[in-house]
Amino acid sequence: MVDKLAIFGGSPVISEPFKPYPSIGKKEEEAVVRVVRSGELSAFFGSDGPQFLGGREILAFEAEWCERFRVKHTISVNSATSGLFAAVGAVGAGPGDEIIVPPTTMSATAMAPLVYGATPVFADIEDDTFCLDVESVIQKITDKTKAIIAVNLFGHPANLSQLRKIADERSIFLIEDNAQGPLASENGVFAGTIGHIGVFSLNYHKHIHTGEGGMCVTNDPELALRLQLIRNHGENIVESRNLKNLKNIIGFNYRMTELSAAVGRVQLADIDSHVNKRINIAQKLSKKLCNLTGITTPMVRDQCNHVYYVWALKYDEKAVGPSRKRFSDALTAEGFPNTTGYIRPLYMLPIFREKIAMAKDGLPFTNSEGSYHAGSCPVAERLWEKEFLYFEPCAYDLTENNVDALCDAFIKVYSNRHLL
Ligand SMILES: *Cc1c(COP(=O)(O)O)cnc(C)c1O
């Protein structure tokens, strides 16, 4: 009786929805009040002078970020999307250039090349880490390749040192989309700092946040300056600085406010606690659920630290029995919040299917075109269509008991799978 599945009218293992993660507290409140009382909600000016680089909170936040991530330069921006756009601009990409990206990621990763008139070329992902497959990347490199954007998907680092080596050998750039991977690492080096430029997100859903926001990091002073120029009306600055390379220095307003920076400083000071909470949840789920036939819990590559923005498992319908959808519905009925699929491979979006990105028909795809047909990245498609089943540790405030209940709910559904 106790074991009757909730989907058949039994009582659910988890009867109350989990509370959202309480990311903002007293210290953030004090920081905001401090800035509001100062009256200076932003101190940026879009012209040469000290305020070209922003105000007190921005400068402090960037310096603290450099120290925490052991990197020379940090350029705050108003979102990771802006950060990715700025990164593609900074490396000098333009029409005719190709940029290799994975298809399984938030869409901004693949839009960044397009805003500069370059074309994204999709390489497939690995079946176990879900990050760019190095062999597939090598196959996609051509004379036109300008950069690779590796995504540290779900909080697991891509093969970053290998990709960096490939990039350096060919004099192209490695940009890391590290929106999901703060404190992830490879061989003890932080994800985000292995590529030429790394981009972090501080949007509300990420491990730490400022509502909206992003951070670009680099160890290269020239790239740092180019990122600063793109962030803040660079066209006004180049003469006074006697800068010769004007390419892609059209400046935007990607500036972060003093308010966001003040909140970000508090979040950064507590980053270990915010990230470790999510890691603990995911590790516990993995430990209890790793021995179920047909269920593959997240893999962590040797010498890597995974920070679990998403805890994603692979569901093998043939081995388990019921369809993924049916299994997922039964989990949901038990109160286990889960989702199937993750993001549809991006080349299936209308922008790629119809090759309409700009007001001039066909551009930039007429310069060069990635492979945008169904079947071009078979691993990404299979994972999306058939296998991904995932949970978002960042979304909820979970006690040890809650995590136990998640495991119990999963095992209850799994044990009764023959009934589904
Ligand atoms: C969240 C996210 C982004 C975009 O971040 P914003 O700060 O919302 O612009 C980009 N890439 C990935 C992989 C993300 O998860």
Side-chain angles (χ1 to χ4, degrees):
M1 193 56 216
V2 201
D3 280 329
K4 189 172 174 191
L5 288 176
I7 201 168
F8 297 133
S11 35
V13 176
I14 300 155
S15 48
E16 282 194 25
F18 297 127
K19 290 198 215 63
Y21 185 78
S23 53
I24 296 296
K26 195 80 200 151
K27 284 184 284 182
E28 283 83 356
E29 185 183 326
E30 284 163 9
V32 168
V33 169
R34 179 180 76 233
V35 175
V36 169
R37 291 205 176 132
S38 79
E40 197 168 56
L41 306 194
S42 173
F44 273 109
F45 269 133
S47 58
D48 204 12
Q51 285 174 305
F52 169 62
L53 296 177
R56 229 176 328 174
E57 300 289 341
I58 290 288
L59 295 175
F61 187 27
E62 291 176 347
E64 287 155 11
W65 196 275
C66 283
E67 192 170 323
R68 188 65 186 83
F69 288 94
R70 302 196 291 263
V71 68
K72 290 206 184 101
H73 308 275
T74 298
I75 298 88
S76 60
V77 283
N78 57 7
S79 72
T81 301
S82 303
L84 288 163
F85 291 9
V88 168
V91 303
D97 291 333
E98 297 175 349
I99 298 187
I100 297 174
V101 299
T104 307
T105 173
M106 194 257 164
S107 61
T109 317
M111 295 306 108
L114 288 172
V115 296
Y116 282 93
T119 28
V121 170
F122 293 97
D124 210 349
I125 57 173
E126 293 180 328
D127 181 52
D128 48 9
T129 67
F130 318 133
C131 298
L132 271 179
D133 181 300
V134 172
E135 282 310 308
S136 180
V137 168
I138 290 171
Q139 279 171 20
K140 304 280 171 159
I141 292 177
T142 70
D143 296 347
K144 295 178 170 176
T145 308
K146 182 76 180 176
I148 301 163
I149 307 181
V151 179
N152 302 317
L153 194 74
F154 301 155
H156 189 287
N159 277 297
L160 296 171
S161 44
Q162 237 179 305
L163 289 168
R164 174 72 197 240
K165 188 158 168 275
I166 288 166
D168 286 342
E169 281 166 3
R170 291 164 177 80
S171 300
I172 62 176
F173 292 92
L174 175 64
I175 297 169
E176 286 181 65
D177 178 343
N178 195 42
Q180 305 185 355
L183 299 190
S185 62
E186 186 188 71
N187 301 315
V189 184
F190 286 121
T193 70
I194 298 169
H196 296 84
I197 299 175
V199 180
F200 294 73
S201 173
L202 295 170
N203 90 23
Y204 179 64
H205 307 284
K206 300 295 173 10
H207 290 77
I208 63 167
H209 75 93
T210 58
E212 305 286 355
M215 299 298 250
C216 298
V217 299
T218 180
N219 285 311
D220 180 324
E222 190 184 332
L223 288 174
L225 176 61
R226 290 174 63 78
L227 289 165
Q228 289 163 343
L229 292 163
I230 292 169
R231 168 178 68 180
N232 186 15
H233 307 294
E235 63 279 2
N236 296 327
I237 321 296
V238 288
E239 281 169 306
S240 52
R241 299 258 178 130
N242 201 20
L243 287 172
K244 295 289 173 252
N245 182 2
L246 301 185
K247 287 179 180 164
N248 285 354
I249 297 304
I250 295 174
F252 294 82
N253 176 353
Y254 289 159
R255 307 176 312 210
M256 178 183 273
T257 67
E258 289 283 284
L259 284 167
S260 298
V263 170
R265 293 177 68 192
V266 177
Q267 293 264 300
L268 179 64
D270 287 340
I271 189 171
D272 290 284
S273 145
H274 289 300
V275 172
N276 287 336
K277 271 186 197 140
R278 281 64 179 257
I279 294 177
N280 290 340
I281 295 167
Q283 286 182 341
K284 203 158 178 194
L285 288 171
S286 290
K287 194 165 168 213
K288 285 219 185 168
L289 305 175
C290 66
N291 289 323
L292 309 176
T293 305
I295 302 292
T296 309
T297 49
M299 184 268 200
V300 184
R301 211 174 52 240
D302 229 25
Q303 303 299 319
C304 285
N305 187 29
H306 190 328
V307 295
Y308 298 102
Y309 177 64
V310 168
W311 179 80
L313 55 78
K314 289 191 291 180
Y315 181 88
D316 179 351
E317 181 180 319
K318 280 207 189 82
V320 184
S323 71
R324 178 181 62 173
K325 169 86 170 58
R326 183 74 174 150
F327 193 90
S328 163
D329 288 347
L331 279 177
T332 305
E334 299 298 340
F336 187 131
N338 72 95
T339 314
T340 58
Y342 195 64
I343 288 168
R344 186 171 57 151
L346 291 177
Y347 51 80
M348 296 181 182
L349 288 171
I351 192 170
F352 296 113
R353 281 203 326 261
E354 301 187 24
K355 302 204 181 85
I356 300 175
M358 295 178 166
K360 295 281 179 207
D361 272 351
L363 283 173
F365 304 110
T366 42
N367 293 327
S368 171
E369 180 190 328
S371 31
Y372 307 136
H373 56 276
S376 52
C377 295
V379 176
E381 288 183 31
R382 168 168 50 79
L383 289 165
W384 170 68
E385 268 173 5
K386 301 198 167 83
E387 297 186 5
F388 273 149
L389 181 71
Y390 67 96
F391 172 70
E392 295 174 89
C394 277
Y396 307 100
D397 184 23
L398 301 181
T399 62
E400 294 281 313
N401 284 344
N402 292 150
V403 184
D404 286 339
L406 282 170
C407 296
D408 292 346
F410 198 99
I411 289 167
K412 179 181 173 189
V413 171
Y414 187 85
S415 312
N416 288 288
R417 63 195 184 279
H418 54 286
L419 301 173
L420 287 170

